[in-house]
Amino acid sequence: MKKIIVKDNLEGAKAGFEIIKNELEQGNLNVFGLATGSTPETLYALLRESDLDFSNTVSINLDEYKGLEPTHEQSYNYFMKEKLFDAKPFKKNYLPNGANPDGEEESAKYEAIIQENPIDLQILGIGTNGHIGFNEPGSSFDSITREVDLVEATIEANARFFESKDEVPKTAISMGIGSILKANKILLFAYGENKADAIYNMVEKTPSTDCPASALQNHPDVTIIIDEAAASKLTK
Ligand code: F6R
């Protein structure tokens, strides 16, 4: 696992931007795996304002809340349109359809899309509990796309985007840890002291389903871009 420790979110976004730009220019970014949440927002702002051309690239997002229409303001479909896709056209954008009442059917469809479009570069954030995508602690390292229950800590963390905690969906469709590990290259970003325990568990503890992100220790090409606060519990 390669570590890049930066001063703040903007410096992290710039470091990530350079890696993405390089992959794109080398012709290595045909399928781009994307994340939502507050962590990649600055990176997406840099991509929006850049002259990078994604019109030959397919994007595949990690997850979507179940029960929200793609037009719902808190849906990840809406987030991606606002933060990136409206400004930067891609060849095709894939996100799960949270409005499909049949979560099993939607998950199978989405997993097939990932199989048909192997991800070249996957962007990840990390939850304070070590989740990646919506793979909460206990998720199997070979899990594939499925309907998942969000744990209380995630509902509480994401309540900041909703009017109240009660409005946060309790389930989601998420790529599995096994699906994520198939990506050729992975870039994980984390900022702030509240991510320090998760980063320590991911990097230094023996891989365990208690920290889903620790599965990344088994992947050959992971770069983590973290600020000093998120790195503060690392000992090595
Ligand atoms: C988002 C996702 C989540 C977030 C994580 C961190 O698509 O899959 O795993 O990356 O919850 O969220 P933020 O960036 O809001 O702290």
Side-chain angles (χ1 to χ4, degrees):
M1 216 180 258
K2 187 175 164 207
K3 290 183 219 114
I4 300 178
I5 299 181
V6 295
K7 197 174 68 215
D8 55 21
N9 183 324
L10 179 59
E11 210 181 277
K14 283 182 182 164
F17 178 89
E18 287 307 317
I19 294 171
I20 293 160
K21 180 169 182 260
N22 188 48
E23 292 297 311
L24 197 61
E25 286 172 358
Q26 303 291 315
N28 294 337
L29 192 44
N30 299 307
V31 183
F32 196 4
L34 300 172
T36 56
S38 45
T39 304
E41 282 198 42
T42 315
L43 170 68
Y44 294 159
L46 295 182
L47 292 176
R48 271 198 317 265
E49 290 152 13
S50 74
D51 57 5
L52 297 190
D53 177 11
F54 290 99
S55 59
N56 286 317
T57 299
V58 168
S59 74
I60 302 191
N61 265 78
L62 286 169
D63 43 19
E64 175 61 289
Y65 288 118
K66 185 134 189 293
L68 299 189
E69 291 290 337
T71 50
H72 189 288
E73 284 190 17
Q74 299 310 332
S75 76
Y76 288 168
N77 276 270
Y78 187 91
F79 175 99
M80 289 310 303
K81 264 173 71 61
E82 278 240 300
K83 305 291 178 195
L84 190 60
F85 301 154
D86 279 350
K88 275 286 165 204
F90 280 64
K91 183 155 86 183
K92 175 91 189 152
N93 300 122
Y94 290 110
L95 279 108
N97 176 10
N100 184 347
D102 188 340
E104 215 172 294
E105 177 198 69
E106 187 60 30
S107 302
K109 247 200 296 188
Y110 206 67
E111 186 64 26
I113 290 168
I114 301 164
Q115 307 283 343
E116 282 157 25
N117 298 275
I119 294 172
D120 294 307
L121 173 63
Q122 176 68 53
I123 302 288
L124 294 177
I126 184 169
T128 50
N129 64 0
H131 74 208
I132 47 173
F134 275 135
N135 296 285
E136 302 285 23
S139 301
S140 155
F141 284 1
D142 53 17
S143 51
I144 60 170
T145 307
R146 67 211 184 287
E147 183 173 341
V148 292
D149 293 326
L150 305 189
V151 299
E152 195 57 25
T154 300
I155 293 169
E156 267 166 28
N158 290 3
R160 67 191 194 279
F161 299 113
F162 291 81
E163 300 253 304
S164 77
K165 194 179 128 187
D166 296 342
E167 286 181 26
V168 183
K170 309 289 178 283
T171 54
I173 306 287
S174 178
M175 266 168 68
I177 298 179
S179 334
I180 293 171
L181 291 175
K182 287 210 184 89
N184 193 39
K185 198 176 177 65
I186 294 177
L187 264 188
L188 181 143
F189 297 84
Y191 310 116
E193 210 187 326
N194 64 339
K195 299 289 171 78
D197 283 321
I199 292 297
Y200 169 74
N201 292 335
M202 169 178 80
V203 177
E204 294 194 15
K205 279 245 212 96
T206 304
S208 143
T209 56
D210 292 346
C211 177
S214 66
L216 299 176
Q217 288 182 31
N218 302 329
H219 189 282
D221 190 352
V222 177
T223 301
I224 63 170
I225 299 180
I226 56 181
D227 67 1
E228 283 155 12
S232 59
K233 300 221 164 135
L234 296 180
T235 63
K236 294 172 197 157

